[in-house]
Each structure stands twice: as C-alpha cells, then as structure tokens.
Amino acid sequence: MTFPKDKYAGMVKVGEKGQIVIPKEARDMFDIKPGDTLLILGDKKQGIAIPPKDSILALAEKIFGGEKGEEEQ
C-alpha cells in the first residue's frame, strides 16, 4: 500500500515486556534516533499517540515560557 507524502501507517506487535519497534519508515519520517526520549499520550476513546518532537517542544514553550506571565508585565 502506498501513502501520500508525509503520511504513514503500519502495524507492530507488542512484545512480552510491552515493547514495540517503531518501523524504519516512521523513524526516518520523524527523525527518531536511538536514545531519543518519546512522549506517549493516551486516551481510552481515541487511542495512543506519539507526537513529533517539535510539537512537544512548542507546546512546552507555550505552557512554560512562550508568553509573559502577569507578574512579569
């Protein structure tokens, strides 16, 4: 099956210890390297997501330092 550019879907098996292997195509697409730390988000209704590193950094900046707080103004 071929996917549009910048799209990927794949299936993985869960190992005995709950581990999965992220397919090479997905690792390449999201620039995931050995030793990287990934954030896993879960929602019982919507499932599990592994957001891209850039979106997590942007979210953290927005939450923790992207805008001046009232006490700084």
Side-chain angles (χ1 to χ4, degrees):
M1 174 182 258
T2 23
F3 296 98
K5 185 180 184 222
D6 297 332
K7 304 286 182 190
Y8 177 79
M11 296 181 71
V12 298
K13 286 190 177 188
V14 178
E16 194 173 303
K17 295 180 179 181
Q19 297 169 321
I20 62 168
V21 174
I22 300 170
K24 182 178 183 343
E25 297 87 353
R27 293 191 317 265
D28 290 346
M29 180 182 290
F30 292 101
D31 193 31
I32 298 171
K33 305 285 187 227
D36 283 353
T37 299
L38 303 175
L39 175 66
I40 307 296
L41 303 173
D43 180 286
K44 271 195 163 191
K45 292 180 183 177
Q46 296 186 34
I48 295 173
I50 306 172
K53 292 181 264 187
D54 295 344
S55 67
I56 299 306
L57 294 174
L59 178 61
E61 186 174 311
K62 193 173 192 179
I63 292 171
F64 297 113
E67 299 178 17
K68 288 187 175 186
E70 287 182 22
E71 62 277 353
E72 293 181 41
Q73 293 181 6

